[in-house]
Amino acid sequence: MKSITITLFPFLIVILAICFSFCDANSNVLCIESERKALLKFKNDLVDPSNRLSSWVEGGDCCKWLGVVCHNSTGHINQLHLAAPLSVPHFDAPVGEWEAYHRSKNNSPLGGKINPSLLELKHLSSLDLSNNNFSGIQIPKFFGLLESLTYLNLSQARFRGTIPHNLGNLSKLQYLDLGCNQLEGVVSESHFSNLTRLTTLAASQNKLRFDPNSSWIPPFQCRIIKLGQWNLGPKFPRWLKFQKNLSVLDISDAGISDILPTWLLNSSTQFEYVNLSCNQLTGGISYLNVTEIVDLSSNQFTGPLPRVFPTLQILILSTNSFSGPLFEFVCNSLRKGPMRILAFETNLLSGEIPDCWDHWRGLGYLNLENNTLTGKIPPSLGHLNLSVLNLRRNGMSGEIPSTLQHSTRLIMLDLSDNHFNGSVPAWIGVKLSKLEILSLRSNNFDGHIPQKICQLQSLRILDLGHNGISGAIPKCFSNFSAMANKSNQQCYMFQWSSISTNFLFLSALLVLKGREDEYGATLGLVTSICLSTNRLIGEIPKEFGSLVALRSLNLSGNLLIGNIPDEIGNMQLVESLDLSRNQLNGEIPPNFSKLNFLNHFNVSYNNLIGQIPTSTQLQSFESLSYVGNHLCGPPLTKNCTSKGISTDAANNGINSEGSKVNWLYVSIVIGFVMGFWGVVAPLFFSRSWRHAYYRKLDHVGRQLYVFWSIMGI
């Protein structure tokens, strides 16, 4: 055995020498001169605002240029990757990940024209120009002549026009992504004529129409098909039936108004991701054979909630007509599953939320808004690691269970428009330190606002309106530092996974600017406090003035007294300010004239006096914003005296004649009441008096009739 080892040793030395010489040769390979010149011509026609291609210089080794990959042995350029910037992180991602994303946005996208010199790259197999800004130009037709291409990614590059027909000649192409551009027109079968090796077809979010012959059989067998926002309807695309390897399917918002065919989700093919949202699909669904993500939102599906595959992570069934109780789905269908997101809002789900959530430990997002659910919040919901809990617009009742204080990752808690009662728990401010959105609006909560709620330094939206809350407004609201930092904006969106380009936005119904609107993509720009229609007393805390990033403040419909604090004029970003229907007095602070972003303002029905401060904004509102006070000056028609007091306020209580008239009215009312009961009271106790009274009344009536006839009345 030892002799054999010694005999083979020279051969091993030779093999190692060959390997080292080969690797060393690769490391010294220079790019082809003609290809370097082709890249420089390509660069000269580009617009590069952030100088990303600074390494592309005359005489340099193009194999070492940014985005260029050469073949190890031949030196030919075979990959060109010029995509930018990074994708948007998960909304709950670490700060470092968000910082990296914002830094990448500083690398401005490339623009300009695409020079046909790329045809010199005969061995180019991969071309990625995604996430750039080729606004105003079409996809070059010469791309269809790059015969070696196996990978072509032009997504989110703002190309316009139609898809070149000759892209269908790229017989080696395996990956094609044209998504999120401005492409339009009709796509025909000829666009795919020679794409026999295609495994990924992604072109969502364009305005394209594709209606092949019903007998068309695609030449490809794709694993991924993403044609969201194409016009594929009204019938469900039959050609998908021939895609036996299909794992990812997105045909959302495709104008399909048909019954969902049973062959799609009941086939032997097991999907990873299915998105059929925003169509008009009908029918019931008994089982979803999908391993990771399902989005069937905004359709017309009916029946009970479907059974799902045990590994499913994201299930979005929003805005359908699924009905029945939650018990079977929650308690039996997914025991110990990895589910992360459940979105069932706007359906017909009924009954109580079952108390068997202990095995859903991975769930971070639960939205059951706008159903007909009843009963209490089950304690086991507090055992989850939720970031979002939305139970808005149901018929639920009871107090907030103390177990929710264990949901320390909660970013959003929305229990509004139900029948919940009790006091607002103080532990919300202590335990739920990450809370950014708290809405308990339109319930039956009472008691005082707990001081400890002021510990929520990340809070951006606080809505306690339309309850029975009493007591004074805590002065410590100034601790809401997220409302005091002008640069503190949030992004409530995250990408589901690497196999999806779709984003999930947090949304909330907010009453801002005098109306109720749903905020989704722009929710991260909103900072708001609403305490309207309660029984709050005392003065408005001047500490509100420190919340300089607050966009909306609504204190209307309470029992607040005193002057409006001058400090509120420091909230120069405020867009909506409603102090109406209180008992405030004094003048509108002069520095309100500095509220230049104000587009909704209401101080009606208070006891305010004096002249409305002069500014472009305050004079732009209708008089209804000021009615029910003693204010004067534009936009009101009431003039002010020399001391800035309205004429009606100056005359109030001074005009003796007016005073006498008021006392006359009072005397009439008192006389009427005494006379009425003086006559009517005996009628309750004496039957003979009642008969005599009615006879007398009849006699007087006849006499009055004769009198009116004579007088011609």
Side-chain angles (χ1 to χ4, degrees):
M1 184 68 181
K2 185 176 180 180
S3 59
I4 295 175
T5 305
I6 295 172
T7 306
L8 293 176
F9 184 74
F11 293 97
L12 294 175
I13 295 296
V14 172
I15 292 171
L16 288 173
I18 293 173
C19 288
F20 282 124
S21 62
F22 179 76
C23 295
D24 185 62
N26 286 345
S27 63
N28 293 322
V29 166
L30 298 176
C31 71
I32 311 301
E33 176 65 19
S34 61
E35 295 184 355
R36 176 170 57 236
K37 290 181 178 180
L39 285 183
L40 290 174
K41 287 181 181 179
F42 172 66
K43 176 189 175 182
N44 288 338
D45 279 354
L46 294 176
V47 176
D48 184 10
S50 59
N51 202 21
R52 288 168 53 198
L53 305 183
S54 58
S55 60
W56 292 31
V57 293
E58 191 75 42
D61 181 5
C62 64
C63 290
K64 296 180 180 179
W65 290 354
L66 177 73
V68 179
V69 178
C70 296
H71 192 276
N72 284 339
S73 58
T74 66
H76 285 296
I77 296 171
N78 61 5
Q79 297 183 38
L80 193 56
H81 298 287
L82 299 176
L86 296 175
S87 59
V88 180
H90 185 290
F91 75 92
D92 196 22
V95 174
E97 197 170 326
W98 275 103
E99 289 176 349
Y101 166 69
H102 287 295
R103 283 197 303 270
S104 74
K105 292 199 299 183
N106 296 328
N107 293 325
S108 300
L110 300 172
K113 298 179 181 179
I114 300 177
N115 196 296
S117 63
L118 290 181
L119 287 172
E120 296 295 324
L121 309 181
K122 303 295 185 182
H123 300 270
L124 188 66
S125 63
S126 179
L127 177 60
D128 189 347
L129 299 176
S130 61
N131 300 338
N132 283 297
N133 183 15
F134 294 105
S135 180
I137 71 170
Q138 299 186 10
I139 296 174
K141 292 183 179 179
F142 72 80
F143 279 4
L145 303 176
L146 297 171
E147 298 178 351
S148 297
L149 277 184
T150 62
Y151 180 98
L152 178 59
N153 190 347
L154 306 178
S155 63
Q156 300 187 65
R158 300 190 180 182
F159 287 107
R160 64 172 180 84
T162 60
I163 299 176
H165 274 80
N166 63 352
L167 287 186
N169 297 330
L170 299 175
S171 58
K172 295 181 180 179
L173 197 65
Q174 300 175 25
Y175 183 101
L176 176 62
D177 192 346
L178 307 175
C180 301
N181 280 289
Q182 299 163 13
L183 305 175
E184 55 187 6
V186 177
V187 177
S188 66
E189 299 170 15
S190 62
H191 281 87
F192 307 105
S193 55
N194 293 317
L195 301 182
T196 56
R197 299 186 185 182
L198 197 66
T199 60
T200 296
L201 172 59
S204 294
Q205 299 184 45
N206 287 289
K207 296 180 180 179
L208 296 164
R209 185 176 183 274
F210 182 47
D211 187 16
N213 190 291
S214 60
S215 61
W216 180 63
I217 299 177
F220 50 76
Q221 283 290 326
C222 278
R223 191 184 76 84
I224 298 174
I225 292 179
K226 298 179 181 179
L227 303 179
Q229 296 187 19
W230 284 37
N231 185 349
L232 303 175
K235 295 295 183 180
F236 197 92
R238 185 176 179 274
W239 57 269
L240 289 173
K241 190 173 184 179
F242 302 100
Q243 299 301 294
K244 302 301 183 181
N245 300 327
L246 198 58
S247 178
V248 174
L249 176 63
D250 180 354
I251 51 173
S252 58
D253 197 10
I256 304 171
S257 54
D258 198 1
I259 298 175
L260 183 68
T262 55
W263 53 259
L264 181 67
L265 297 178
N266 291 339
S267 65
S268 57
T269 302
Q270 194 166 71
F271 290 93
E272 294 178 41
Y273 167 68
V274 171
N275 187 348
L276 308 178
S277 64
C278 300
N279 286 289
Q280 297 182 45
L281 292 165
T282 60
I285 302 174
S286 58
Y287 179 65
L288 292 171
N289 191 19
V290 185
T291 60
E292 291 189 29
I293 301 171
V294 173
D295 186 356
L296 304 181
S297 61
S298 299
N299 281 285
Q300 299 175 13
F301 293 118
T302 57
L305 294 172
R307 292 181 297 110
V308 297
F309 199 78
T311 62
L312 193 66
Q313 298 179 30
I314 296 172
L315 179 58
I316 302 177
L317 304 179
S318 314
T319 316
N320 280 284
S321 296
F322 288 106
S323 58
L326 282 167
F327 182 85
E328 180 65 27
F329 181 86
V330 175
C331 301
N332 296 328
S333 65
L334 275 182
R335 299 197 66 82
K336 297 183 180 179
M339 189 72 73
R340 296 189 291 116
I341 294 175
L342 279 182
F344 292 169
E345 70 267 25
T346 314
N347 278 282
L348 303 174
L349 302 175
S350 59
E352 298 186 1
I353 300 176
D355 191 16
C356 52
W357 294 89
D358 295 280
H359 59 283
W360 292 73
R361 292 305 175 93
L363 192 65
Y365 180 104
L366 178 60
N367 192 340
L368 301 175
E369 175 187 351
N370 198 21
N371 282 280
T372 58
L373 299 170
T374 57
K376 300 179 179 181
I377 299 175
S380 60
L381 270 183
H383 301 158
L384 306 180
N385 213 4
L386 289 173
S387 294
V388 174
L389 177 59
N390 189 347
L391 303 178
R392 184 186 184 99
R393 282 191 174 171
N394 281 284
M396 301 183 68
S397 57
E399 298 185 359
I400 301 177
S402 59
T403 54
L404 277 186
Q405 65 184 298
H406 303 303
S407 301
T408 55
R409 290 185 57 191
L410 268 178
I411 292 174
M412 176 181 181
L413 177 61
D414 191 342
L415 307 180
S416 56
D417 293 289
N418 280 281
H419 307 297
F420 293 117
N421 55 34
S423 58
V424 178
W427 51 256
I428 287 181
V430 179
K431 300 293 185 179
L432 308 185
S433 59
K434 294 185 178 180
L435 208 59
E436 298 184 21
I437 301 171
L438 175 61
S439 181
L440 305 179
R441 182 182 185 83
S442 297
N443 279 286
N444 300 318
F445 289 108
D446 53 23
H448 296 181
I449 301 174
Q451 292 278 337
K452 290 183 178 179
I453 207 170
C454 299
Q455 297 182 30
L456 298 175
Q457 296 187 15
S458 299
L459 198 65
R460 302 174 58 84
I461 295 172
L462 174 63
D463 193 344
L464 304 178
H466 288 261
N467 281 285
I469 299 173
S470 58
I473 300 174
K475 295 181 180 180
C476 60
F477 272 20
S478 57
N479 292 343
F480 295 147
S481 54
M483 302 181 188
N485 186 351
K486 293 182 180 180
S487 62
N488 184 14
Q489 296 181 353
Q490 185 58 280
C491 183
Y492 296 115
M493 58 183 279
F494 63 96
Q495 192 170 352
W496 293 341
S497 73
S498 59
I499 61 176
S500 168
T501 56
N502 297 72
F503 296 96
L504 177 65
F505 289 92
L506 291 190
S507 63
L509 277 172
L510 304 176
V511 179
L512 306 178
K513 304 175 185 178
R515 63 181 186 271
E516 185 178 68
D517 290 312
E518 183 168 2
Y519 290 78
T522 59
L523 182 61
L525 304 177
V526 179
T527 47
S528 169
I529 293 178
C530 180
L531 306 177
S532 66
T533 318
N534 280 287
R535 295 197 292 269
L536 297 171
I537 60 173
E539 298 185 349
I540 299 175
K542 64 180 181 180
E543 286 76 10
F544 273 123
S546 65
L547 304 180
V548 293
L550 197 64
R551 303 280 181 170
S552 176
L553 176 62
N554 189 345
L555 305 178
S556 65
N558 282 287
L559 304 172
L560 300 173
I561 60 172
N563 294 344
I564 300 174
D566 293 341
E567 288 78 4
I568 289 185
N570 298 331
M571 299 161 52
Q572 295 186 17
L573 295 182
V574 72
E575 300 174 16
S576 179
L577 179 59
D578 194 342
L579 307 177
S580 64
R581 295 179 291 117
N582 279 287
Q583 300 171 16
L584 302 172
N585 51 42
E587 300 181 347
I588 298 176
N591 62 358
F592 272 31
S593 60
K594 298 185 297 184
L595 302 179
N596 296 323
F597 291 95
L598 205 58
N599 56 43
H600 176 77
F601 182 62
N602 195 346
V603 291
S604 61
Y605 299 104
N606 280 285
N607 299 314
L608 300 174
I609 61 172
Q611 183 172 359
I612 297 171
T614 303
S615 75
T616 304
Q617 294 300 111
L618 295 181
Q619 272 66 53
S620 67
F621 302 111
E622 297 181 358
S623 58
L624 291 176
S625 295
Y626 303 100
V627 71
N629 290 286
H630 302 293
L631 297 168
C632 59
L636 302 179
T637 57
K638 295 177 183 178
N639 295 323
C640 299
T641 66
S642 59
K643 295 182 179 180
I645 302 174
S646 65
T647 53
D648 65 331
N651 293 330
N652 185 40
I654 299 175
N655 190 314
S656 59
E657 183 178 351
S659 178
K660 290 179 182 177
V661 171
N662 291 340
W663 280 111
L664 176 61
Y665 290 157
V666 173
S667 301
I668 291 173
V669 171
I670 294 174
F672 174 80
V673 172
M674 294 181 64
F676 177 81
W677 284 107
V679 173
V680 173
L683 301 180
F684 284 98
F685 302 102
S686 173
R687 182 176 179 182
S688 61
W689 282 28
R690 283 200 299 272
H691 287 295
Y693 173 79
Y694 290 128
R695 285 197 301 271
K696 183 64 175 178
L697 190 62
D698 182 68
H699 177 67
V700 171
R702 291 177 183 275
Q703 287 183 328
L704 287 174
Y705 176 79
V706 173
F707 175 76
W708 288 336
S709 299
I710 295 173
M711 297 298 294
I713 299 177

